[in-house]
Amino acid sequence: AARRENLEARRRVLERVLAFEARLDAPGPEGEPPAAPDYPLIARVLREAPQEWRGHSPVDRDAARALEADFHRALDRLRGRIDAWQAGNAADKQALVTRARQLGQLPDVARAVDEAKRLQAEWKSTGPVPHAQSQALWEEFRALCNLVFERRQQAFAAQSAALDQAKSQAEALCAQVEQAAKEPPADRQSGEARLFEWRDAFEALGELPRADVRSLRQRFQRAMERYEALLAGQEQ
């Protein structure tokens, strides 16, 4: 009696699995194509249905043989859907790896970083892949994205070094003008020529550190004004 009851329970499990499988291909409202399968739910069925099936035991082996064959065929069909989905995900992630590799050739570092962040978001939204491929794909993708972010760090370091150098040159130029303002030039013509040289040299420095640009410009302007006043006094 227990074997007969367990056999009927297994039959009900099979019927539920078959009904679930049929719903996956059911057309949408008004004859629309079937909705995209809920793959995480399929994976859950593949985990839980065999557990429930094994829970209904013992059964008469001869009587259960045909039922068990139908059950495993149904699971194999569901597993085939998962395998196809994961294969598609693997192809999508491989495409993301290819795009990430191309970012290494992009000359615009800021654009490359923005694109790498978008690729990371796409990676997260892409479903799982077969376990045998998952780790290798992720490590390759992460390494390529890290190269892009390292380029940004290198660009930041280079820019910071350039700003520090420009600051040092600006301070040296200010000091030079301040020192010159203490001693009158040989004549006004040579003094004015030096003014033009200093002004051109300061403008040629380019970008200065944001925190120092105002104070450096003010210091340079004050030194230049003192030197101009020295020239005017000398001419007088």
Side-chain angles (χ1 to χ4, degrees):
R3 288 190 176 95
R4 286 196 301 270
E5 183 177 346
N6 288 329
L7 186 62
E8 286 304 312
R10 286 190 173 186
R11 192 185 308 278
R12 291 192 294 271
V13 172
L14 174 60
E15 289 172 353
R16 297 207 315 275
V17 170
L18 292 175
F20 172 76
E21 183 184 15
R23 287 196 299 273
L24 296 176
D25 297 320
E30 300 181 0
E32 295 179 0
D38 186 343
Y39 290 104
L41 181 57
I42 296 176
R44 179 182 171 186
V45 169
L46 285 171
R47 288 193 308 271
E48 295 181 357
Q51 294 174 357
E52 185 177 353
W53 181 272
R54 289 190 296 270
H56 298 301
S57 61
V59 295
D60 185 272
R61 292 185 178 181
D62 292 335
R65 189 170 289 114
L67 201 65
E68 190 163 359
D70 289 342
F71 178 71
H72 287 298
R73 280 194 293 267
L75 293 186
D76 287 342
R77 290 192 298 271
L78 292 177
R79 198 170 291 111
R81 290 175 182 264
I82 292 291
D83 291 343
W85 174 54
Q86 291 188 344
N89 293 337
D92 291 341
K93 290 192 172 182
Q94 186 61 60
L96 293 175
V97 169
T98 301
R99 289 167 59 188
R101 186 177 297 110
Q102 293 170 348
L103 295 180
Q105 309 301 322
L106 200 62
D108 188 338
V109 177
R111 181 182 169 193
V113 169
D114 289 342
E115 183 63 21
K117 291 179 179 179
R118 282 193 289 271
L119 293 182
Q120 287 178 329
E122 289 186 42
W123 185 279
K124 289 180 180 179
S125 64
T126 305
V129 301
H131 181 72
Q133 300 173 261
S134 177
Q135 190 64 24
L137 278 172
W138 165 243
E139 288 180 356
E140 184 178 7
F141 177 75
R142 182 178 60 181
L144 291 168
C145 289
N146 286 342
L147 287 176
V148 175
F149 298 135
E150 287 172 10
R151 285 180 60 198
R152 178 179 62 177
Q153 291 301 110
Q154 292 169 358
F156 283 162
Q159 184 183 23
S160 178
L163 291 174
D164 288 342
Q165 183 180 8
K167 177 183 176 181
S168 298
Q169 292 173 343
E171 290 174 339
L173 187 58
C174 289
Q176 182 182 352
V177 179
E178 289 166 351
Q179 181 62 34
K182 298 177 181 178
E183 302 174 2
D187 55 72
R188 183 174 179 85
Q189 184 178 3
S190 63
E192 289 179 345
R194 297 185 72 183
L195 282 173
F196 284 116
E197 291 174 3
W198 289 330
R199 200 173 300 279
D200 289 343
F202 192 87
E203 294 302 324
L205 294 175
E207 186 178 2
L208 294 168
R210 184 176 302 178
D212 303 300
V213 60
R214 183 175 179 181
S215 61
L216 285 172
R217 287 190 175 277
Q218 289 175 345
R219 178 183 174 186
F220 178 74
Q221 188 60 35
R222 285 195 301 267
M224 292 286 282
E225 289 172 355
R226 285 197 296 270
Y227 191 80
E228 288 174 346
L230 180 65
L231 291 180
Q234 184 182 27
E235 183 178 10
Q236 177 112 18

